[in-house]
């Protein structure tokens, strides 16, 4: 009969064995689903493109090039408009990839590094062409790059990654395309520049059409799997709350303090976007289009902040002045605003416009869950072993 000491020894050996197995699963790449990720959008996805553009064009660097940007995770500024990682970073990590390198500023002879993916998202980018917006009296602030420019940049890169049309189609068949969030700047610029709400609403179907055209263009090239996020509750943004400070009391949500009419605008955009994505699915039933409901995912942060560890819902962590700790003339990162709050994880907003890393991590839950729900329909892209690996990873992909 085994002694108690030998039983204890067996348990310890089994525990060590279990830890090794789980660790190898968690740390190994989740391959089999996708061989690369290509992303498009604006500052919510930009991993350094605007910074690289400022370097290559010898222009003033964006405020994301300075601390306290990057202070939470990287401990240095990386060009991300956040204290740490973005949703695209968490997604790449979960799928076993390195952080997506920014495309802009790279030299054509070194494009081989983009074989596993590239990020074309540029902070300040719009969905609509900047010249068209200018005709409407809406002016881009930090860049003239639009979604069409980003897609054209991708098309310019593609021949460097594959030797023939069939090879390119095969590459894109195994790639994940992250389309957005994009379009927010079209609206934000218009709101902040004092445009009439009805005129801004007329932009929505145009923005959705551009997103749709971009998806269809990539489908023609061979892409089959798309993640398409919707817009956030912009009525909870410290920047827009500051712009419309002093609105009538009945225009604010009594529970959250957010501006109801701005949130309704976001919902209008999301409704049109969902309908258009359904139209694309009907036209291309073999294509996987995954809508990510950022609005629904982020609303609980404002309604029940304590459940997520948030102490400040409508104030910027890195900001100064006013009810919402935000001043549109003083940017986080530029002097004199070189410091932030003591605990960014207790804030929803990082700089009055963008989310903190902890919010991005929560949102990545939603992205990952939508991807998980779609994986059983992806067939040969994701073998059963990969699906099982993701199911092990997913519960541990927590905050």
């Amino acid at each position: 009969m085994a002694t108690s000491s030998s039983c204890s020894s067996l348990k310890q050996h089994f525990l060590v064995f279990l830890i090794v197995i789980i660790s190898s699963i968690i740390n190994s790449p989740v391959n089999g689903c996708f061989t690369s990720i290509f992303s498009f959008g604006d500052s919510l996805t930009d991993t350094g493109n605007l910074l690289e553009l400022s370097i290559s064009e010898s222009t003033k660097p964006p405020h994301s090039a300075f601390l306290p940007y990057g202070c939470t995770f990287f401990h240095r500024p990386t060009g991300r408009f956040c204290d740490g990682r973005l949703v695209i970073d968490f997604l790449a990590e979960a799928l076993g990839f390195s952080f997506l390198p920014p495309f802009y500023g790279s030299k054509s002879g070194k494009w081989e590094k983009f074989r596993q993916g590239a990020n074309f998202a540029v902070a300040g980018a719009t969905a609509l062409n900047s010249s068209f917006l200018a005709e409407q009296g809406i002016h881009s602030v930090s860049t003239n790059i639009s979604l069409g420019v980003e897609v054209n940049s991708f098309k310019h890169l593609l021949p460097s990654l594959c030797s023939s049309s069939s090879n390119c189609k095969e590459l894109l068949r195994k790639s994940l395309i992250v389309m957005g969030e994009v379009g927010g700047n079209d609206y934000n610029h218009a709101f902040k520049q004092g445009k009439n709400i009805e005129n801004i609403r007329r932009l929505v179907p145009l923005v959705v059409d551009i997103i749709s055209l971009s998806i269809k263009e990539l489908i023609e090239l061979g892409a089959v799997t798309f993640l398409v996020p919707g817009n956030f509750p912009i009525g909870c943004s410290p920047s827009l709350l500051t712009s419309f400070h002093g609105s009538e009391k009945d225009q604010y949500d009594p529970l959250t303090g957010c501006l109801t009419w701005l949130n309704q605008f976001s919902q209008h955009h999301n409704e049109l976007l969902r309908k258009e994505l359904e139209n694309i699915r009907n036209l291309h039933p073999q294509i996987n289009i995954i809508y990510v409901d950022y609005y629904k995912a982020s609303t609980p942060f404002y309604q029940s902040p304590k459940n997520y560890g948030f102490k400040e819902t409508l104030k910027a962590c890195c900001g100064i002045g006013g009810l919402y700790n935000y001043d549109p003339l003083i940017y986080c990162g530029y002097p004199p605003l070189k410091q932030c709050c003591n605990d960014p994880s207790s804030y929803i907003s990082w700089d009055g416009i963008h989310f903190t890393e902890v919010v991005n991590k929560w949102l990545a839950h939603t992205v990952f869950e939508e991807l998980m729900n779609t994986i059983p329909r992806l067939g040969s892209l994701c073998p059963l072993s990969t699906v099982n690996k993701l199911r092990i990873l997913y519960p541990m992909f927590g905050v």
Side-chain angles (χ1 to χ4, degrees), residues 83 238 301-302 305 308-319 324-325 340-352 354-360 362:
D83 60 305
F301 305 155
Y302 301 98
Y308 301 90
F310 297 125
K311 296 179 181 178
E312 293 290 353
T313 58
L314 304 180
K315 289 184 177 182
C317 169
C318 185
Y324 305 105
N325 202 37
C340 62
C341 61
N342 291 328
D343 182 13
S345 68
S346 66
Y347 281 68
I348 292 177
S349 177
W350 164 242
D351 57 7
H354 309 95
F355 290 129
T356 54
E357 181 187 76
V358 69
V359 174
N360 288 330
W362 277 113

Side-chain angles (χ1 to χ4, degrees), residues 40-41 104 120 122 124-131 133 143-153 182 186 210:
F40 305 84
Y104 293 103
F120 297 87
V122 180
T126 54
L128 298 169
N129 186 286
S130 60
S131 60
L133 289 172
T143 181
N144 289 327
I145 286 180
S146 64
L147 180 57
V149 173
E150 294 179 10
V151 172
N152 284 336
S153 296
V182 66
D186 302 64
I210 289 295

Side-chain angles (χ1 to χ4, degrees), residues 28 49-50 64 88-89 104 123 132 145 180 197 205 225 250 297-298 369 393:
S28 60
N49 275 310
L50 187 61
S64 62
I88 189 67
D89 294 319
Y104 293 103
F132 172 81
I145 286 180
I197 179 64
T225 305
D250 61 1
S298 56
E369 189 170 33
L393 276 168

Side-chain angles (χ1 to χ4, degrees), residues 35 115 158-159 161-175 221-222:
T35 57
R115 188 165 293 279
L158 191 58
L161 306 181
C162 39
S163 57
S164 66
S165 175
S166 59
N167 286 343
C168 289
K169 285 185 179 294
E170 180 64 14
L171 170 70
L172 286 176
R173 188 184 73 83
K174 296 179 179 180
S175 298
L221 292 173

Side-chain angles (χ1 to χ4, degrees), residues 81-131:
F81 284 78
C82 182
D83 60 305
R85 289 162 290 182
L86 309 175
V87 173
I88 189 67
D89 294 319
F90 289 112
L91 179 62
E93 283 184 311
L95 292 173
F97 292 92
S98 302
F99 295 138
L100 292 188
F103 171 77
Y104 293 103
S106 61
K107 296 180 179 179
S108 58
K110 298 182 179 180
W111 283 357
E112 183 69 22
K113 67 179 180 180
F114 298 124
R115 188 165 293 279
Q116 287 194 321
N119 191 344
F120 297 87
V122 180
T126 54
L128 298 169
N129 186 286
S130 60
S131 60

